[in-house]
C-alpha cells in the first residue's frame, strides 16, 4: 500500500523516525543535564565549611591564570589570609562569567562582588589604613584597570593576535580551534563596548595613557598607596601580571618590561609577597607548563 | 552575460516586473545618496575657517544635550575659548558615534580624541596647572566617569522601564517611540557585552553609589576637581553629572546627586554658571517641548 500522507516529501514512516530521533536526543540531553546536576550537587556537599571554593579556569603555562580576574581574586584571598581551595573547571557562573566562588553553600560571581561579599561576611578590610580620599582614588584606578585597560588587553589578545598565543599560554587547555572561535565572538563584543571601534593605533595610544597614569601614580612607592598593600593592589596586579607573563610580544609586555620599570618592579614585588609558591601554581612541563624552569 | 539575458527573456512577465521595480528602487536609493552627499559636500565648503564645527544630536528639553559627551566637548570648547558652531544632526561619525567635529576640513570623532586633537592643533592645555600625579588621578577619574558611571546610567535609562527615558527625549511622540525602541535594542546589547548588563538592579545600584561616592569624596570642598581652577577633567565629570541631574528623572543618580552628595550638586551648578551663562538659550523652547524660560524645579 502506498503512503497515505506526505509532508514536504517525507512519508509517515520517515516522519515517525525523525520525530523519534529528535525526541530521543532531547531526552538524552535532559538526562545528561540532570546527571551533571546530580554530580554537581554531590560535589558541593563535600565542600569544606568556612572555606572559599574558588571556581576558575585552570592554571597557565607561565602564570596561575591567563585571566586577570581569577588572579585578582586569589591574590586577595592570600592577602586577607582567607582559607580557600581552587576548583579548576569551565563551569561558568549564572552571569556567564568566571571566576566565581562558593562559600558555605552560597554562590557569588564577579570578582569584585566576591571580595565585597567576603569583606562583609568575614569583617575583612584590606583598605582600613587608607584615608577616604585614597579609597576614592583607589576605586578610580581599579575601574581604569578593570573597565578600560582590560579591554585593550582583550583587543590585543583576541582581535589583533586572533588568540594565537592563548593555546600556548594556557598550556594547551585552549585548543587553536577554540581560540579562533572565541576570537570571532570577542571582536563584536569589543565593538559594542566601544574600544573596538577605534583603530589599532588609537587603541595603543589609549593603552599608553592608561599605563602612564598607573606608573606615574605608583611612582617609587612599594604598593599603590605606600608601604602596605591594599585591596586595589590585587586588581592592578591581576591585570599587569598578564602583560608580563601571558601576552608575549605584545605592546603591553613591552611597556611593562621595558618602558615602565617601576611597574615591572611592582609586579614582581606583589608576586614575591603573596605568591611565594608561584612555581607550584603554574603548569608542570608535562602539562605544557614551565614549572621548575628558569624564568626568561 | 548571455546566460543572464537568456534567463531574463525566459522568465515570466511577473518576474521581469519585480526585477524592474527592484532595479528602479536601487537606482533611486543610489541617486538619493549621491544627492545627499553632494548637498553635504556643499555644506562643508561653507564651514568657517579656524572654527570647530561640533556635530551633535540636538538640544534637550532641560539640558543642552541628552548625551553626556556633547556636553563634555562643548564645555571644553567654551573653557578653552575655541571658536565653534553647532551642527545639530543625527549623522554619526565614521565609527558610528556622536559627537564628532570638523576643523578646517578634518573630521575627528570620539569626544576625547577631539579634545586631544584640538589640544595638539591649537596648543591648548587646560591641565597645565596640574602636577603629573594630579593628571594621572584625573585620567583615572575620567575613565571611571566615562567607562563605568556612564554604563550604570545607560543601564538605568535603557535596561528596564523606558518611561522616564521617553519623557526626556526631545522628539515628537512618534519619532520618540521609534528612536527609543531602536536605541534600546542596541544599548541593551552593548550593556551585555560590556558587562554592566549582566548585573541585577541591586548590584548596579551599589555600583552607582560607589562611583558617585568616590567622586564626591575626591571633590570634597574644592570648587573644581583639582582646586580653584577648572581643568579639562571637569568637562567630562560635568557632562556626566549634568545628565544625572537634568535628564534622569526619578533615577537613583538624580536622588544621590540631589540629596546625598550636595557637594556634587553645588559643583554641577558652579560649572554651569561658569561656562554656560547662556544655558537657557541652549535648551529647547516650550513650543518644542523644552523648558526654556521656565523656573527650574
Amino acid at each position: 500500500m502506498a503512503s497515505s500522507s506526505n509532508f514536504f516529501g517525507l512519508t509517515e514512516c520517515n516522519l515517525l523516525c525523525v520525530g523519534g530521533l529528535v525526541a530521543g536526543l532531547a531526552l538524552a540531553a535532559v538526562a545528561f543535564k540532570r546527571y551533571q546536576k546530580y554530580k554537581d550537587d554531590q560535589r558541593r556537599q563535600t565542600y569544606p565549611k568556612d572555606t572559599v571554593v574558588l571556581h576558575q579556569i585552570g592554571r597557565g603555562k607561565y602564570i596561575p591564570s591567563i585571566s586577570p580576574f581569577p588572579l585578582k581574586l586569589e591574590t586577595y584571598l592570600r592577602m586577607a589570609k582567607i582559607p580557600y581551595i581552587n576548583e579548576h573547571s569551565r563551569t561558568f557562573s549564572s552571569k556567564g562569567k568566571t571566576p566565581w566562588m562558593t562559600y558555605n553553600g552560597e554562590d557569588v560571581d564577579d570578582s569584585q562582588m566576591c571580595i565585597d561579599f567576603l569583606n562583609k561576611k568575614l569583617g575583612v578590610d584590606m583598605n582600613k589604613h587608607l584615608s577616604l580620599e585614597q579609597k576614592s582614588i583607589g576605586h578610580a584606578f581599579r575601574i581604569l584597570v578593570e573597565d578600560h585597560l582590560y579591554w585593550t588587553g582583550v583587543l590585543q589578545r583576541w582581535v589583533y593576535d586572533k588568540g594565537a598565543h592563548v593555546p600556548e599560554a594556557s598550556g594547551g587547555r585552549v585548543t587553536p580551534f577554540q581560540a579562533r572561535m572565541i576570537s570571532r565572538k570577542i571582536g563584536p563584543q569589543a565593538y559594542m563596548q566601544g574600544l573596538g571601534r577605534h583603530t589599532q593605533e588609537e587603541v595603543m595610544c589609549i593603552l599608553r595613557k592608561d599605563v602612564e597614569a598607573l606608573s606615574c601614580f605608583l611612582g617609587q612607592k612599594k604598593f599603590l598607596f605606600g608601604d602596605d598593600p591594599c585591596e586595589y593592589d590585587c586588581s592592578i596586579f591581576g591585570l599587569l601580571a598578564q602583560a608580563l607573563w601571558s601576552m608575549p610580544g605584545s605592546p603591553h609586555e613591552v611597556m611593562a618590561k621595558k618602558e615602565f620599570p617601576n611597574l615591572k618592579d611592582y609586579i614582581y614585588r606583589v608576586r614575591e609577597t603573596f605568591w611565594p609558591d608561584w612555581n607550584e601554581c603554574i603548569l608542570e612541563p608535562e602539562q605544557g607548563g614551565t614549572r621548575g624552569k628558569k624564568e626568561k | 552575460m548571455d546566460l543572464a539575458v537568456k534567463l531574463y527573456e525566459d522568465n515570466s512577465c511577473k518576474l521581469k516586473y519585480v526585477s524592474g521595480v527592484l532595479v528602479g528602487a536601487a537606482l533611486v536609493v543610489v541617486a538619493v545618496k549621491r544627492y545627499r552627499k553632494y548637498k553635504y559636500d556643499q555644506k562643508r565648503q561653507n564651514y568657517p575657517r579656524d572654527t570647530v564645527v561640533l556635530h551633535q544630536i540636538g538640544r534637550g528639553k532641560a539640558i543642552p544635550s541628552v548625551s553626556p559627551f556633547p556636553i563634555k566637548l562643548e564645555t571644553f570648547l567654551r573653557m578653552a575659548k575655541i571658536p565653534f558652531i553647532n551642527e545639530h544632526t543625527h549623522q554619526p561619525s565614521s565609527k558610528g558615534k556622536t559627537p564628532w567635529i570638523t576643523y578646517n576640513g578634518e573630521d575627528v570623532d570620539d569626544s576625547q580624541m577631539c579634545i586631544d586633537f584640538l589640544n595638539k592643533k591649537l596648543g591648548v592645555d587646560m591641565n597645565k596647572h596640574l602636577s603629573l600625579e594630579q593628571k594621572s588621578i584625573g585620567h583615572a577619574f575620567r575613565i571611571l566617569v566615562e567607562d563605568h558611571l556612564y554604563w550604570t546610567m545607560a543601564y538605568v535609562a535603557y535596561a528596564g522601564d523606558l518611561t522616564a527615558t521617553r519623557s526626556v527625549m526631545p522628539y515628537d511622540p512618534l519619532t520618540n517611540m521609534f528612536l527609543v525602541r531602536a536605541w534600546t535594542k542596541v544599548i541593551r546589547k552593548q550593556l551585555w557585552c560590556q558587562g554592566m548588563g549582566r548585573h541585577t538592579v541591586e548590584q548596579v545600584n551599589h555600583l552607582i553609589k560607589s562611583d558617585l561616592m568616590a567622586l564626591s569624596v575626591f571633590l570634597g570642598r574644592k570648587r573644581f576637581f583639582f582646586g580653584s581652577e577648572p581643568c579639562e577633567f571637569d568637562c567630562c565629570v560635568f557632562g556626566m553629572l549634568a545628565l544625572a541631574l537634568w535628564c534622569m528623572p526619578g533615577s537613583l543618580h538624580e536622588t544621590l546627586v540631589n540629596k546625598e552628595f550636595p557637594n556634587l550638586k553645588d559643583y554641577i551648578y558652579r560649572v554651569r554658571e561658569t561656562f554656560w551663562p547662556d544655558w537657557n538659550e541652549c535648551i529647547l523652547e516650550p513650543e518644542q517641548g523644552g523648558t526654556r524660560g521656565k523656573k527650574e524645579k
Side-chain angles (χ1 to χ4, degrees):
Chain A
M1 195 170 84
S3 307
S4 55
S5 65
N6 218 290
F7 184 74
F8 284 98
L10 293 172
T11 62
E12 244 177 38
C13 182
N14 292 152
L15 280 171
L16 273 169
C17 288
V18 167
L21 188 63
V22 168
L25 284 170
L27 278 167
V30 167
F32 182 68
K33 276 204 158 187
R34 287 207 172 169
Y35 175 72
Q36 273 196 327
K37 189 178 182 313
Y38 164 74
K39 294 295 281 184
D40 199 37
D41 289 343
Q42 291 280 97
R43 197 175 61 242
R44 284 170 73 90
Q45 282 171 22
T46 63
Y47 288 164
K49 219 173 142 44
D50 301 334
T51 302
V52 170
V53 179
L54 173 52
H55 309 275
Q56 54 171 313
I57 53 171
R59 296 309 193 196
K61 183 174 180 178
Y62 303 102
I63 189 171
S65 176
I66 61 167
S67 170
F69 299 106
L71 200 57
K72 162 192 171 184
L73 191 42
E74 198 170 347
T75 305
Y76 162 81
L77 293 169
R78 287 160 172 255
M79 187 186 284
K81 299 184 176 38
I82 296 172
Y84 75 97
I85 56 172
N86 280 306
E87 188 173 88
H88 296 292
S89 97
R90 293 209 190 168
T91 307
F92 283 46
S93 72
S94 54
K95 281 193 201 125
K97 283 182 134 175
T98 186
W100 54 290
M101 61 166 228
T102 308
Y103 185 77
N104 289 341
E106 219 172 324
D107 292 340
V108 186
D109 47 22
D110 186 280
S111 58
Q112 191 56 40
M113 292 187 185
C114 291
I115 290 175
D116 293 343
F117 171 88
L118 290 168
N119 283 346
K120 196 170 168 184
K121 203 87 173 172
L122 305 175
V124 169
D125 186 0
M126 301 310 302
N127 292 338
K128 62 180 176 289
H129 58 290
L130 302 181
S131 68
L132 280 175
E133 188 180 271
Q134 285 176 319
K135 286 180 192 177
S136 72
I137 295 170
H139 178 75
F141 273 106
R142 180 178 73 75
I143 300 298
L144 175 125
V145 159
E146 296 185 1
D147 282 76
H148 203 245
L149 185 58
Y150 165 74
W151 283 98
T152 69
V154 163
L155 281 165
Q156 177 62 41
R157 178 180 274 179
W158 295 109
V159 179
Y160 308 145
D161 251 3
K162 296 190 180 13
H165 290 106
V166 175
E168 194 214 0
S170 67
R173 283 158 187 252
V174 177
T175 64
F177 175 75
Q178 285 170 330
R180 276 197 302 275
M181 291 297 111
I182 296 170
S183 168
R184 280 191 194 166
K185 271 178 77 171
I186 299 283
Q189 276 190 14
Y191 185 85
M192 283 283 151
Q193 184 272 344
L195 224 63
R197 294 179 199 228
H198 295 297
T199 63
Q200 189 169 350
E201 202 181 302
E202 287 168 350
V203 172
M204 293 301 109
C205 186
I206 288 168
L207 161 67
R208 179 169 292 281
K209 284 188 182 173
D210 281 1
V211 176
E212 261 171 8
L214 274 169
S215 173
C216 176
F217 186 77
L218 177 69
Q220 299 302 311
K221 301 196 287 290
K222 279 184 62 162
F223 299 101
L224 197 69
F225 286 104
D227 292 338
D228 293 322
C230 65
E231 194 184 290
Y232 306 114
D233 288 296
C234 303
S235 91
I236 293 171
F237 171 73
L239 207 112
L240 292 184
Q242 304 301 322
L244 220 50
W245 289 300
S246 75
M247 297 177 69
S250 66
H252 299 71
E253 187 196 36
V254 170
M255 284 185 206
K257 266 191 179 164
K258 295 180 185 169
E259 292 187 38
F260 299 98
N262 69 332
L263 287 182
K264 183 183 173 183
D265 294 342
Y266 166 79
I267 299 165
Y268 275 95
R269 189 176 304 121
V270 175
R271 186 178 90 163
E272 277 152 29
T273 311
F274 298 109
W275 291 86
D277 59 339
W278 180 271
N279 202 39
E280 279 78 62
C281 299
I282 58 181
L283 294 171
E284 294 182 274
E286 298 81 47
Q287 298 164 311
T290 53
R291 190 185 297 183
K293 287 188 183 172
K294 194 178 155 141
E295 207 171 306
K296 286 182 200 167
Chain B
M1 187 61 188
D2 288 343
L3 180 63
V5 167
K6 193 180 174 192
L7 278 171
Y8 183 75
E9 283 170 356
D10 280 346
N11 277 338
S12 70
C13 186
K14 196 174 170 185
L15 190 57
K16 282 182 195 177
Y17 176 74
V18 167
S19 312
V21 165
L22 283 174
V23 166
L27 282 170
V28 165
V29 165
V30 167
V32 164
K33 277 200 159 189
R34 287 207 171 170
Y35 176 71
R36 282 171 81 168
K37 187 176 183 314
Y38 163 75
K39 294 293 282 180
Y40 180 63
D41 289 342
Q42 291 278 99
K43 192 168 68 191
R44 282 172 73 88
Q45 280 170 23
N46 292 329
Y47 288 162
R49 256 204 92 62
D50 300 335
T51 302
V52 170
V53 179
L54 171 53
H55 310 274
Q56 54 171 310
I57 54 169
R59 296 310 191 194
K61 290 181 178 177
I63 190 169
S65 175
V66 296
S67 168
F69 300 105
I71 299 184
K72 164 192 172 184
L73 193 39
E74 196 169 343
T75 306
F76 166 77
L77 293 169
R78 288 161 174 257
M79 186 186 284
K81 296 182 175 40
I82 296 172
F84 73 97
I85 57 171
N86 280 307
E87 187 175 88
H88 294 293
T89 167
H90 279 265
Q91 177 79 32
S93 69
S94 56
K95 284 193 199 124
K97 282 182 130 174
T98 186
W100 53 292
I101 66 170
T102 306
Y103 186 76
N104 290 342
E106 222 173 322
D107 293 340
V108 185
D109 46 25
D110 185 277
S111 59
Q112 193 55 41
M113 290 187 184
C114 293
I115 289 176
D116 294 342
F117 169 86
L118 292 169
N119 282 344
K120 195 170 168 183
K121 203 87 171 169
L122 306 176
V124 168
D125 186 0
M126 302 310 302
N127 292 338
K128 60 180 176 289
H129 58 290
L130 303 182
S131 68
L132 281 176
E133 188 181 85
Q134 284 177 319
K135 286 180 192 178
S136 70
I137 294 171
H139 178 77
F141 272 106
R142 179 175 75 76
I143 301 302
L144 175 120
V145 161
E146 296 186 352
D147 281 79
H148 200 252
L149 184 62
Y150 167 77
W151 289 110
T152 67
M153 293 163 79
Y155 183 99
V156 165
Y158 289 96
D161 182 12
L162 302 173
T163 312
T165 304
R166 284 200 190 98
S167 74
V168 298
M169 285 297 156
Y171 311 111
D172 61 84
L174 192 65
T175 311
N176 209 354
M177 188 181 74
F178 173 74
L179 274 178
V180 170
R181 193 178 284 182
W183 285 342
T184 299
K185 210 175 161 185
V186 171
I187 293 174
R188 281 182 184 175
K189 201 171 174 189
Q190 286 178 340
L191 284 164
W192 181 262
C193 290
Q194 187 274 341
M196 190 65 66
R198 299 178 199 221
H199 294 308
T200 63
V201 171
E202 203 180 81
Q203 287 167 340
V204 173
N205 286 346
H206 172 71
L207 296 175
I208 294 167
K209 198 158 185 179
S210 302
D211 282 1
L212 289 176
M213 191 181 302
L215 282 166
S216 174
V217 165
F218 188 78
L219 177 68
R221 293 184 176 282
K222 301 195 289 288
R223 278 177 53 86
F224 298 101
F225 218 62
F226 284 103
S228 25
E229 297 293 318
C231 66
E232 192 185 293
F233 303 116
D234 288 296
C235 302
C236 93
V237 176
F238 172 72
M240 205 65 62
L241 295 183
L243 237 79
L245 205 55
W246 290 301
C247 206
M248 298 184 69
S251 65
L252 180 61
H253 298 83
E254 185 197 40
T255 306
L256 291 174
V257 168
N258 252 327
K259 297 181 182 164
E260 275 202 43
F261 302 116
N263 68 333
L264 287 183
K265 185 178 176 181
D266 293 343
Y267 166 79
I268 298 165
Y269 276 95
R270 187 176 305 121
V271 176
R272 187 178 88 164
E273 277 152 27
T274 311
F275 298 109
W276 291 84
D278 59 340
W279 180 269
N280 204 39
E281 281 77 62
C282 299
I283 58 181
L284 293 175
E285 294 183 277
E287 296 80 45
Q288 297 165 306
T291 55
R292 189 188 295 186
K294 290 189 183 170
K295 196 180 155 135
E296 216 169 296
K297 288 181 199 166

